[in-house]
Amino acid sequence: MATVSSNTMKAIIKQTPEPGGLIIADVPMPKIGVKDVLVKIKKTAICGTDIHIYNWDEWAQRTIKTPQIIGHEFVGEVVEAGEGVTNIKPGNLVSGEGHLVCGVCRHCITGNLHLCRQTVGIGVNIDGVFSEYISIPASNAWVCNPAVSEDVLSVQDPLGNAVHTALSFNLIGEDVLITGAGPIGLMSVPIVKRAGARHIVVTDINPKRLEMAKDLGATATVDVTKQNISDAIKFLNMNEGFDVGLEMSGSPAAFNDMINAMANGGKIAILGIISNSTQVDWDKIIFNSLTLKGIYGREMYSTWYKMSMLLQSGLDKEVAKIITHSFPFQDFQEAFEIMKSGESGKVILDWV
Ligand code: NAD
Ligand code: ZN
């Protein structure tokens, strides 16, 4: 079992409010409260959100207060537990929910923690997990099955996004359109397949990612720079368009493609962060009786439970295919550049 022997630790910090601006620095070891656990980080993964912070786009400028430790996808070992912690012990392998909630509001007390209005994001609103140790509330730590690989356990946050979005609507026998074959869109493919969908059509503008989608079980893929979704609809002999849509690109064009390709009465779950100025054909939404559902994060903790069971029943092998790169944390610059290029699936930073 790991032990703590120093007062400082290494962390990746967004030091200055500008593109890039990431450094490795020595920072004080985090302190734990009575209901917290101290976790020695083993692996972390880079999320699209971290790339927004790296690029210092408009969202990051408005949201992030520098200097701040970034990152929220992790797996590690508990090395210390506060006196009030009963369910988690030193030695446990844990990942964690990156949304901290108030615990007392109307939604929290009725078991809908993902709807809490006081939600605070680790690595966004407060210091993150790209560091050798973190302190998190024990209630946010999720004990993992060590039979699943640590790389896969470190990407449960985005996998949870995929599980939450994909399982928003009943999929058995349905035709499903996924716009965007980024890591989360790709993770959704095997989940949708397991949930019993008939056809799974995936769109992107990146041929490599579409190839990965095919390998993970997509029935057809559409490179929207060359083809239309209607070609896939014809090719698959579908009559009326898609029953369920999972928007996972954040692209206004993709969202419009989806609205145009839905069957009447179709249901859309939107995970991709689409800009506020996006125009849509409201006639299609209203007169075709579409249902739109926004998705934020993971349901606490039913998504985590379902995800763990799926990982233990073979989903881990498929998720492992989406992890394409791994670097020691000291090489974070290279890791961020590869993630930024779009020439990757998930990229892992190793802290051990
Ligand atoms: P990503 O940016 O890696 O993937 C997006 C994919 O969409 C890319 O492969 C890109 O090539 C593709 N794309 C771009 N234009 C397209 C078009 N016109 N048609 C089809 N595909 C197109 O992102 P990710 O990490 O997989 O996350 C997916 C989305 O979900 C992102 O928008 C991300 O910001 C968002 N997100 C939301 C939440 C939430 O809680 N709502 C959580 C995590 C991520
Ligand atoms: Zn709350």
Side-chain angles (χ1 to χ4, degrees), residues 31 46 75 104 132 148 167 169 211-212 230 237 248 337:
K31 302 224 172 345
I46 302 176
V75 66
V104 295
E132 290 179 287
V148 176
L167 301 186
F169 301 112
E211 238 169 72
M212 290 171 82
S230 54
N237 281 325
M248 304 208 146
E337 283 299 323

Side-chain angles (χ1 to χ4, degrees), residues 100-109 112-113 115-119:
L100 305 183
V101 296
C102 79
V104 295
C105 73
R106 159 217 177 161
H107 291 302
C108 284
I109 62 169
N112 294 297
L113 284 71
L115 301 179
C116 175
R117 290 171 75 134
Q118 270 76 251
T119 300

Side-chain angles (χ1 to χ4, degrees), residues 151-202:
D151 279 2
V152 169
L153 292 174
S154 75
V155 302
Q156 288 178 96
D157 174 297
L159 182 62
N161 290 139
V163 169
H164 183 185
T165 313
L167 301 186
S168 281
F169 301 112
N170 193 351
L171 297 179
I172 193 151
E174 302 286 49
D175 293 334
V176 178
L177 175 64
I178 302 174
T179 45
I184 305 180
L186 290 171
M187 288 168 174
S188 303
V189 175
I191 300 166
V192 168
K193 208 173 176 71
R194 276 153 198 270
R198 180 177 70 148
H199 295 312
I200 308 169
V201 175
V202 181

Side-chain angles (χ1 to χ4, degrees), residues 88-325:
I88 294 181
K89 294 188 294 293
N92 282 161
L93 188 63
V94 295
S95 181
E97 171 54 56
H99 288 177
L100 305 183
V101 296
C102 79
V104 295
C105 73
R106 159 217 177 161
H107 291 302
C108 284
I109 62 169
T110 53
N112 294 297
L113 284 71
H114 63 295
L115 301 179
C116 175
R117 290 171 75 134
Q118 270 76 251
T119 300
V120 169
I122 294 180
V124 175
N125 310 110
I126 57 169
D127 273 340
V129 305
F130 286 0
S131 54
E132 290 179 287
Y133 293 87
I134 59 161
S135 163
I136 56 165
S139 56
N140 276 66
W142 186 261
V143 177
C144 302
N145 183 335
V148 176
S149 84
E150 287 175 359
D151 279 2
V152 169
L153 292 174
S154 75
V155 302
Q156 288 178 96
D157 174 297
L159 182 62
N161 290 139
V163 169
H164 183 185
T165 313
L167 301 186
S168 281
F169 301 112
N170 193 351
L171 297 179
I172 193 151
E174 302 286 49
D175 293 334
V176 178
L177 175 64
I178 302 174
T179 45
I184 305 180
L186 290 171
M187 288 168 174
S188 303
V189 175
I191 300 166
V192 168
K193 208 173 176 71
R194 276 153 198 270
R198 180 177 70 148
H199 295 312
I200 308 169
V201 175
V202 181
T203 72
D204 205 291
I205 53 174
N206 177 329
K208 259 196 197 159
R209 288 186 161 177
L210 289 171
E211 238 169 72
M212 290 171 82
K214 198 87 211 218
D215 182 48
L216 289 160
T219 327
T221 57
V222 180
D223 179 341
V224 293
T225 64
K226 301 197 188 88
Q227 305 153 298
N228 295 316
I229 297 175
S230 54
D231 301 333
I233 292 180
K234 272 190 221 118
F235 168 72
L236 295 171
N237 281 325
M238 288 168 51
N239 293 326
E240 302 197 1
F242 293 91
D243 306 296
V244 175
L246 310 179
E247 201 318 285
M248 304 208 146
S249 74
S251 153
F255 185 45
N256 273 288
D257 286 348
M258 177 172 275
I259 287 171
N260 289 329
M262 298 303 291
N264 284 10
K267 301 179 177 73
I268 298 178
I270 309 169
L271 181 85
I273 300 171
I274 302 168
S275 81
N276 286 332
S277 56
T278 301
Q279 299 279 324
V280 293
D281 186 344
W282 284 103
D283 278 2
K284 294 245 166 68
I285 294 175
I286 297 161
F287 297 112
N288 296 353
S289 305
L290 302 185
T291 299
L292 306 187
K293 179 186 177 192
I295 306 283
Y296 183 44
R298 298 141 295 278
E299 286 188 354
M300 296 168 229
Y301 280 84
S302 54
T303 300
W304 283 88
Y305 181 82
K306 279 218 165 88
M307 170 164 62
S308 295
M309 299 308 123
L310 285 166
L311 285 175
Q312 290 170 40
S313 58
L315 184 68
D316 61 331
K317 304 289 176 300
E318 284 139 335
V319 174
K321 292 184 187 173
I322 299 162
I323 299 171
T324 55
H325 295 78

